[in-house]
Amino acid sequence: MSQFWKPGSEKPRLLDDEEGGVLFYSASASSSSGFGYSNIEKQRQRLPVYKYRTAILYLVETHATTIIVGETGSGKTTQIPQYLKEAGWADGGRVIACTQPRRLAVQAVASRVAEEMGVKLGEEVGYTIRFEDLSKTGVTMVKFLTDGVLLREMMDDPLLTKYSVIMVDEAHERSLSTDILLGLLKKIQRRRPELRLIISSATIEAKSMSTFFQTSRKRRGLEGEESGPRTDPAILSVEGRGFNVQIHHIEEPVPDYLQAAVSTVLSIHEQEPMGDILVFLTGENDIDAAVQLLNEEAQNNGKHSSGLVVLPLYSGLSRADQDLIFSPTPRGKRKVVISTNIAETSLTLEGIVYVVDSGFSKQRFYNPISDIENLVVAPISKASARQRAGRAGRVRPGKCYRLYTEEYFVNEMSAHAIPEMQRSNLVSCVIQLKALGIDNILGFDWPASPSPEAMIRALEVLYSLGVLDDDAKLTSPLGFQVAEIPLDPMISKTILSSNQLGCSEEIITIAAILSVQSIWVSARGAQRELDEAKMRFAAAEGDHVTYLSVYKGFIQSGKSSQWCYKNFINYHAMKKVIEIREQLRRIAQRLGIVLKSCERDMEVVRKAVTAGFFANACCLEAHSQGGMYKTIRSAQEVYIHPSSVLFRVNPKWIIYNSLVSTDRQYMRNVISIDPSWLMEAAPHFYRQQRNPIAS
Ligand code: CDP
Ligand code: MG
């Protein structure tokens, strides 16, 4: 087993050992030795978490679960895995895992840690995100991965035997996958007492997490006290070194947070001393718009904005753009990073002195009554607002400008966000647990219980998809095959149906394209040109078929970036599509799907989509103005999104891929269908509806 504190050195001081297993340590003397540290080594030692190195290693050695709470930027993510490796937790072919809810964070921290360790990314330090594996079995010792990927790994190795320590990072985010993972890890711990868990986060109700991991049985063998770790969790809190942040609220509510954010940036630039600015908006669209507004300002009105370097930060970003975010600001310039809430706690940017907080983020909401899940721009919680403000105090005292009133902050904002588990569609969650052999899902030990209604809805959909049988067990082979494909079960079912329909090549292309954010370049100010470009590919059947022509064009152009540029297509997204498509082909072949093209027969493509997405069928309201549709499932009012090629075309029967909600519920990626296919695809599902298909 690993040794960590140097013989003869002081044992960390214990403040509160027995009370519910809560331990606090004061920083003990550093255990470093040697001389001639490189710059990087010095930087590492300056991080707040360094003072707790010995304490952390001691707790991990002696406790099955250690909960570490520490301010963002204190070094939890980048340092703790390295400490564990230095202490020997990766010896003998074992691997240290560190999970993140976000793909971009996985890539960014892995490359940072590889750099700090002076190794090539993908060797000793690697990462795995869906469709991208930069790790080597037998070589990689520290592996960063999304929590979703770790869940997938459980399908092949249910006890995750190759890992010695699993650090579940950013646990305060309470993402759906994090919660499922925590529930499963608790089970694994019982079978693998030697496994160590670290739950780490920026803010967390450490007590409730600790209660969750408290096992009722006090110790595993009573007499075997020395042989295994204590099963009650330890809690360690890392004191940060954040500077004071002055908070400014707006006096009157703003009608347009985007515009307000842009003018706030400009006035900071005009009036405040040097220091970078971090702006929190909600997603790719408003971020790109803000970037463009600021750049236009620079062109038209140079004196307000000269010296600004404006950069977007969101998950679809290419590696090159990510690197720009982390590179130091050029002398005499001021960097403005406009970000989603990824910069709230997952990533730390050096040099931020000013934060502009819109008060919003994109959040997932699910209504089990209507069975509708969508992404909504919604107010953040007080906890998030505090985190965002904290980003301004990294290097020196900073300022945070909130684009909402103090009254609103105090009286309207909720204290904490609701765990995603309680506001998500649970179809993917249920199928994953089923695939892991967990049958009593309602009785599963969750960190936060999902609603029974949502669970029942999920079971219903999976039953209709033919994935679960009457006893709610995975069907064979379909259920197991659907679970095997790392995509939403509805897409997976579409892929499997394409096998019988003879259009697997086309459906795999569509699945790959639906896996990237958008293949179009966002074109503010050039909307007309973008629409014209789209028209060159547009197919009467809808977006899915349109994507097939884009893909074909891209391949025929020899995968040319020039061609993409000319056609308003995002070249990086298309390269990603090619990669994902290749992986999906491999998975399909492994599942025995015959790769076959249907050539020009688009009817089978539409039928395959129907086989997976029948639950998302909608019908145009006969006498409605302005293209109102109703979902067949629950008669919800929905509209075709303006980005769809079927916008204003409004065919009578359509199926959508997903919903986004702004002023209305908009359907993204729609395809026209024949209603008779619905009964064919899911007789059970549609028999019970008072359905308009019959009328
Ligand atoms: O996880 P936590 O928020 O506690 O901190 P961290 O992500 O480990 O970051 C520790 C330090 O590493 C911060 O000062 C970051 O600025 C730095 N870092 C960096 O410079 N580049 C990265 N890609 C990641 C972290
Ligand atoms: Mg972190």
Side-chain angles (χ1 to χ4, degrees), residues 213-500:
F213 277 97
Q214 198 92 46
T215 38
S216 45
R217 291 167 299 149
K218 262 302 224 198
R219 304 256 156 89
R220 292 188 60 84
L222 272 178
E223 64 277 24
E225 277 192 27
E226 294 305 308
S227 68
R230 300 180 48 154
T231 52
D232 47 350
I235 301 179
L236 176 94
S237 124
V238 176
E239 266 156 55
R241 48 149 197 212
F243 292 91
N244 194 30
V245 176
Q246 220 181 70
I247 297 193
H248 301 267
H249 290 94
I250 220 146
E251 305 261 306
E252 294 291 326
V254 294
D256 177 354
Y257 66 80
L258 198 135
Q259 198 59 52
V262 168
S263 34
T264 308
V265 167
L266 292 172
S267 65
I268 293 171
H269 187 51
E270 236 174 315
Q271 291 160 21
E272 298 287 339
M274 272 309 190
D276 294 343
I277 307 175
L278 174 60
V279 182
F280 287 101
L281 294 182
T282 69
E284 208 172 313
N285 282 340
D286 58 0
I287 290 172
D288 282 340
V291 170
Q292 186 152 351
L293 284 172
L294 281 166
N295 285 335
E296 275 165 15
E297 180 67 26
Q299 269 167 12
N300 304 337
N301 201 353
K303 81 174 178 347
H304 293 302
S305 50
S306 66
L308 282 184
V309 182
V310 187
L311 301 170
L313 174 55
Y314 45 73
S315 62
L317 231 48
S318 70
R319 284 306 286 278
D321 288 340
Q322 289 177 34
D323 291 343
L324 277 181
I325 300 281
F326 289 105
S327 62
T329 311
R331 269 186 105 74
K333 299 265 183 192
R334 193 201 293 269
K335 190 151 69 175
V336 183
V337 177
I338 307 187
S339 174
T340 60
N341 62 353
I342 189 167
E344 195 174 293
T345 61
S346 304
L347 294 178
T348 299
L349 310 174
E350 290 302 314
I352 301 292
V353 180
Y354 308 98
V355 163
V356 179
D357 173 14
S358 66
F360 289 103
S361 69
K362 243 185 209 160
Q363 297 164 32
R364 199 160 11 169
F365 282 98
Y366 174 67
N367 176 350
I369 310 296
S370 59
D371 193 28
I372 282 184
E373 177 184 73
N374 52 24
L375 275 175
V376 186
V377 171
I380 58 170
S381 66
K382 284 196 179 83
S384 286
R386 291 200 185 96
Q387 282 296 328
R388 289 181 174 189
R391 305 298 95 240
R394 282 284 300 158
V395 284
R396 61 169 199 254
K399 291 186 178 174
C400 171
Y401 299 83
R402 290 181 172 159
L403 304 178
Y404 41 92
T405 64
E406 185 163 14
E407 200 268 326
Y408 181 81
F409 174 80
V410 174
N411 298 322
E412 308 279 328
M413 275 186 171
S414 60
H416 294 279
I418 305 165
E420 206 174 42
M421 175 68 73
Q422 294 169 335
R423 49 187 169 88
S424 298
N425 170 323
L426 298 174
V427 167
S428 303
C429 163
V430 170
I431 195 170
Q432 272 185 325
L433 291 177
K434 292 279 176 192
L436 292 170
I438 291 167
D439 279 322
N440 180 6
I441 292 186
L442 277 172
F444 187 69
D445 191 6
W446 304 98
S449 303
S451 81
E453 291 82 13
M455 202 52 95
I456 287 162
R457 281 295 188 162
L459 291 169
E460 238 173 59
V461 169
L462 288 171
Y463 177 73
S464 316
L465 281 169
V467 164
L468 295 181
D469 63 18
D470 288 337
D471 303 323
K473 291 221 176 354
L474 280 187
T475 54
S476 181
L478 183 69
F480 284 94
Q481 288 175 324
V482 167
E484 182 102 351
I485 304 176
L487 293 171
D488 183 288
M490 287 167 148
I491 287 263
S492 307
K493 171 74 188 283
T494 303
I495 293 176
L496 288 161
S497 307
S498 73
N499 192 26
Q500 291 108 53

Side-chain angles (χ1 to χ4, degrees), residues 77 169-170 345:
T77 312
D169 203 3
E170 302 285 315
T345 61

